Amino acid sequence: MYTLYWSPGSASMAPHCCLEEAGVAYALKLVDTAAGEHRKPEYLALNPAGKVPVLTIDGGFTMTESAAICMLIADRHPAAGLAPGIDDLERGHFYMWLMH
């Protein structure tokens, strides 16, 4: 299962939307950056840079960076149609706009 660590005002909305659109099971964990939760050792163990969002999969695999998280979700769930197919040249535009 996916777990998305998010915070208001962070770049976590796009990965959240991708999880929702993919129709997969996920949990949300609020990171209260105003209270400094992103600087606590437990969170820094997930992301030493202390940035939000973080995505974990099955409690073992962890990744950061909103665009990369979106790409991973799109790749793992191609039936959701979040991105053009890997052999489709339009995939380049998907990457372009995701990085914009």
Side-chain angles (χ1 to χ4, degrees), residues 2 4 8 10 16-17 26 38 40 42 45 50 52-53 60-61 65-66 68 88 91-93:
Y2 295 100
L4 180 65
S10 73
H16 186 182
C17 290
Y26 67 93
H38 61 300
K40 291 187 175 182
E42 310 85 61
V52 179
F61 181 82
E65 300 302 329
S66 183
D88 188 335
R91 183 87 170 195
H93 290 150

Side-chain angles (χ1 to χ4, degrees), residues 66-76 91 94-95 98-99:
S66 183
I69 292 169
C70 291
M71 291 164 58
L72 178 74
I73 295 166
D75 288 346
R76 292 192 79 201
R91 183 87 170 195
F94 165 71
Y95 293 146
L98 196 56
M99 299 301 151

Side-chain angles (χ1 to χ4, degrees), residues 26-75:
Y26 67 93
L28 294 174
K29 295 226 176 177
L30 176 64
V31 179
D32 187 349
T33 56
E37 289 181 3
H38 61 300
R39 292 190 205 102
K40 291 187 175 182
E42 310 85 61
Y43 190 77
L44 293 173
L46 295 172
N47 184 355
K51 293 170 137 186
V52 179
V54 167
L55 182 76
T56 63
I57 303 173
D58 298 330
F61 181 82
T62 301
M63 67 181 299
T64 63
E65 300 302 329
S66 183
I69 292 169
C70 291
M71 291 164 58
L72 178 74
I73 295 166
D75 288 346

